[in-house]
């Protein structure tokens, strides 16, 4: 029976690899790279085996990215932190109900905040860094644990623990400190002992210096971004890794090589029925739209101008990992390009020379779109087959269609300064908003009536 299972597994892997259409993916990445849309690497694993890997662009001023290039992965670190916590739970060294005051009584509401609250982003502790933190510049300097705990002790909670969900880096930095307190060790040593060595990950490290630099796209060229000190993000965002090792890591988590089935179930279960949503206790859980009704376990990451996306499909044991050190293309579109190709579905063809969109469709995009929080409107106008966008108190600029509408997305446009615009429709099919992407940032503008 074991032999039959192994043979069946091999057949499934071969079949999956054949549906990857690697040549199609290579053509997509060739176009993205040649049009200054991204720098970085991607990897797809089936059953823990890497079946597609591609690196594009430069990691610094002159060296090309390759499969061994390590990137800062930002908040994808949280999946590692959650995994280490669940290992401690499996070993009965802590529980989901363990209160934070057992470790750090100086934190506001520490008696009421539990490990589960921190994992599920429902502790009420405010998120950081804030714009003020960046303005002050302290996030660029090394910080001790004592200094970070002093900052957290001075915050005012946004709400009572368990009242609602609000994303909090603060909670995951504290979880990293809990790991160190329970093990009487360092996060880095525990990462190597409990995750990296068992899975054979040689380029997955904590707060390590790397060769890659991150870049913004300004005035038609890449410019280097300043770097945060990784002692600040700690258990919330300090891991560096490669796309291939991330894919192997997430597979190792959910195939039971790192944590128990009970902990996997807890990681993917909402904090409570009243707080049902995508955010769980370590990953985001959602459903794949269009073409295949599959569950997705995922987490996004971003730090400096680095960005990452780690996704696992439990039904097919497929992992997709994206690590970028320069991004001038929407991460969600990049993910769907990879997913569509893996599933053998028709994806949106990309053409940075521009593609034709019917005038009747273009006419549905005309209007004024607003983002009140920053006091800006964007006016979309049509002149025949050409669309222009004009922000408040700025000159109009032409936007060119690079991907046509589909049943999942509407058309994607870009301009040569590095802005990408995607029109969004509501359930009734009416254009209701635009998403404006520049680098890894996204702004959502609602259409005015």
């Amino acid at each position: 029976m074991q032999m039959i299972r192994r043979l069946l597994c091999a057949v499934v892997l071969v079949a999956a690899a054949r549906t990857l259409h690697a040549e199609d993916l290579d053509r997509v990445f060739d176009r993205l790279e040649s049009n200054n849309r991204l720098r970085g690497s991607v990897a797809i694993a089936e059953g823990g085996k890497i079946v597609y890997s591609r690196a594009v662009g430069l990691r610094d001023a002159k060296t090309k990215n390759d499969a061994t290039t390590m990137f800062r992965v930002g908040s994808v670190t949280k999946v590692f932190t959650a995994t280490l916590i669940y290992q401690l739970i499996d070993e009965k060294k802590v529980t989901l109900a363990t209160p934070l005051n057992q470790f750090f009584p100086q934190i506001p509401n520490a008696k009421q905040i539990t490990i589960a609250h921190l994992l599920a982003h429902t502790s009420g502790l405010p998120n950081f860094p804030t714009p003020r933190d960046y303005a002050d510049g302290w996030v660029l300097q090394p910080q001790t644990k004592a200094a970070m705990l002093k900052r957290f002790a001075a915050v005012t909670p946004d709400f009572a623990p368990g009242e609602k969900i609000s994303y909090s880096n603060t909670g995951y930095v504290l979880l990293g400190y809990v790991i160190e307190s329970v093990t009487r060790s360092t996060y880095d040593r525990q990462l190597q002992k409990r995750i990296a060595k068992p899975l054979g990950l040689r380029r997955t490290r904590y707060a390590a210096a790397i060769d890659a630099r991150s870049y913004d796209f300004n005035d038609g060229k890449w410019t280097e971004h300043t770097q945060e000190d990784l002692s600040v993000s700690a258990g919330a965002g300090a891991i560096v890794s490669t796309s291939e090792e991330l894919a192997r890591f997430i597979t190792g988590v959910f195939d039971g090589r790192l944590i128990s089935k009970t902990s996997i179930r807890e990681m993917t279960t909402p904090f409570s029925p009243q707080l049902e949503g995508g955010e769980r206790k370590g990953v985001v859980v959602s459903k794949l739209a269009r073409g295949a009704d599959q569950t997705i376990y995922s987490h996004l990451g971003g730090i400096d101008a680095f960005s990452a996306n780690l996704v696992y499909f439990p039904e097919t044991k497929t992992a997709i990992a994206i690590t970028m050190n320069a991004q001038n293309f929407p991460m969600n579109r990049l993910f769907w390009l990879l997913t569509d190709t893996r599933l053998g579905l028709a994806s949106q063809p990309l053409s940075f020379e521009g593609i034709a969109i019917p005038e009747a469709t273009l006419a549905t995009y005309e209007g004024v779109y607003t983002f009140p929080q920053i006091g800006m409107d964007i006016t979309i106008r049509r002149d025949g087959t050409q669309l222009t966008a004009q922000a408040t108190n700025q000159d109009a600029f032409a936007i060119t269609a690079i991907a046509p509408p589909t049943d999942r997305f509407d058309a994607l446009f870009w301009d040569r300064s590095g802005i990408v615009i995607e029109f969004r429709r509501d359930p009734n099919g009416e254009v209701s908003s635009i998403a404006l992407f520049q680098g890894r940032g996204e702004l959502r503008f609602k259409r005015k009536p």
Side-chain angles (χ1 to χ4, degrees):
M1 180 62 72
Q2 291 297 323
M3 178 61 74
I4 293 174
R5 287 176 180 168
R6 285 195 290 270
L7 287 172
L8 286 173
C9 181
V11 170
V12 169
L13 288 175
V14 170
R18 286 175 178 169
T19 63
L20 275 170
H21 303 280
E23 298 85 357
D24 293 338
L25 277 178
D26 284 338
R27 282 192 289 271
V28 167
F29 283 106
D30 286 343
R31 287 196 292 273
L32 290 169
E33 182 179 24
S34 63
N35 284 277
N36 277 333
R37 307 320 290 177
L38 52 83
R39 298 178 175 185
S41 69
V42 300
I44 300 175
E46 302 279 359
K49 178 182 177 181
I50 302 297
V51 295
Y52 182 80
S53 181
R54 174 70 188 267
V56 295
L58 303 177
R59 69 182 184 216
D60 53 28
K62 59 182 179 180
T63 311
K64 289 186 176 181
N65 283 317
D66 59 32
T68 67
T69 303
M70 294 185 293
F71 302 84
R72 292 185 173 196
V73 302
S75 287
V76 171
T77 299
K78 293 179 175 65
V79 187
F80 288 86
T81 298
T83 299
L84 292 170
I85 288 290
Y86 281 112
Q87 288 179 336
L88 297 179
I89 291 173
D90 289 338
E91 296 165 12
K92 302 188 185 307
K93 294 178 179 177
V94 294
T95 72
L96 288 173
T98 298
L100 184 59
N101 72 327
Q102 286 193 17
F103 308 100
F104 309 114
Q106 70 271 45
I107 302 301
N109 290 340
K111 288 184 180 180
Q112 292 77 42
I113 294 172
T114 66
I115 296 295
H117 286 126
L118 297 172
L119 286 168
H121 296 285
T122 185
S123 68
L125 297 174
N127 191 32
F128 89 101
T130 65
R132 177 64 181 272
D133 295 328
Y134 288 108
D136 291 346
W138 69 268
V139 297
L140 306 179
Q141 306 300 322
Q143 302 293 320
T144 64
K145 183 188 300 185
M148 294 298 291
L149 287 172
K150 184 177 180 180
R151 288 183 181 277
F152 296 157
V155 303
T156 300
D158 291 332
F159 52 86
E163 185 176 289
K164 54 185 174 181
I165 293 175
S166 182
Y167 192 83
S168 176
N169 285 316
T170 306
Y172 272 78
V173 171
L174 289 170
L175 285 171
Y177 295 164
V178 167
I179 291 165
E180 294 182 332
S181 295
V182 172
T183 62
R184 297 182 180 180
S185 180
T186 65
Y187 189 112
D188 185 44
R189 288 174 186 160
Q190 294 303 306
L191 171 69
Q192 296 305 315
K193 173 185 176 181
R194 294 171 172 273
I195 295 176
K197 288 184 179 179
L199 297 181
L201 309 180
R202 298 182 179 181
R203 295 181 176 84
T204 297
R205 301 168 192 169
Y206 176 78
I210 58 174
D211 293 331
R213 295 293 179 265
S214 66
Y215 297 84
D216 300 306
F217 194 75
N218 296 313
D219 297 324
K221 62 181 180 180
W222 297 112
T223 56
E224 187 172 343
H225 197 286
T226 55
Q227 290 196 107
E228 296 179 31
D229 195 274
L230 292 179
S231 62
V232 173
S233 52
I239 282 178
V240 302
S241 188
T242 70
S243 58
E244 290 190 6
E245 291 202 354
L246 288 181
R248 289 164 54 198
F249 159 66
I250 198 72
T251 302
V253 172
F254 291 109
D255 71 4
R257 281 185 285 165
L258 296 177
I259 59 178
S260 67
K261 290 182 179 179
T262 298
S263 286
I264 292 173
R265 185 166 56 251
E266 285 293 342
M267 181 184 277
T268 56
T269 299
F271 177 81
S272 70
Q274 293 73 33
L275 295 178
E276 172 65 78
E279 202 69 63
R280 300 296 201 263
K281 297 189 288 292
V283 293
V284 174
V285 179
S286 56
K287 282 288 187 180
L288 177 69
R290 176 180 170 245
D293 185 22
Q294 296 185 31
T295 302
I296 302 173
Y297 302 154
S298 67
H299 213 295
L300 289 165
I303 184 170
D304 309 329
F306 289 96
S307 55
N309 193 9
L310 182 57
V311 182
Y312 187 73
F313 299 79
E315 287 94 339
T316 59
K317 296 185 178 180
T318 301
I320 295 177
I322 303 170
T323 51
M324 295 291 156
N325 62 315
Q327 181 187 337
N328 195 23
F329 188 79
M331 178 66 82
N332 66 334
R333 282 297 182 105
L334 184 58
F335 164 72
W336 283 113
L337 285 169
L338 289 164
T339 301
D340 283 353
T341 303
R342 182 186 71 84
L343 295 173
L345 299 174
S347 192
Q348 309 97 330
L350 293 175
S351 173
F352 290 93
E353 298 303 318
I355 60 175
I357 302 248
E359 290 188 35
T361 302
L362 294 177
T364 66
Y365 302 147
E366 290 187 279
V368 179
Y369 301 80
T370 187
F371 196 127
Q373 295 92 325
I374 61 174
M376 179 182 288
D377 291 348
I378 292 180
T379 301
I380 302 295
R381 295 186 177 91
R382 177 181 64 89
D383 182 5
T385 59
Q386 178 65 64
L387 283 188
T388 62
Q390 184 172 18
T392 303
N393 298 323
Q394 297 183 29
D395 294 333
F397 56 93
I399 54 176
T400 301
I402 59 173
T406 70
D407 58 349
R408 186 165 60 237
F409 296 107
D410 223 281
L412 192 70
F413 293 79
W414 79 305
D415 87 305
R416 296 188 180 276
S417 69
I419 294 173
V420 179
I421 295 176
E422 180 178 281
F423 290 88
R424 303 278 177 85
R425 294 181 183 269
D426 62 23
N428 296 321
E430 300 294 327
V431 177
S432 58
S433 65
I434 58 174
L436 187 149
F437 303 89
Q438 190 163 28
R440 66 180 177 86
E442 175 181 351
L443 295 175
R444 181 70 64 85
F445 291 75
K446 292 185 178 180
R447 189 175 195 168
K448 286 185 174 181

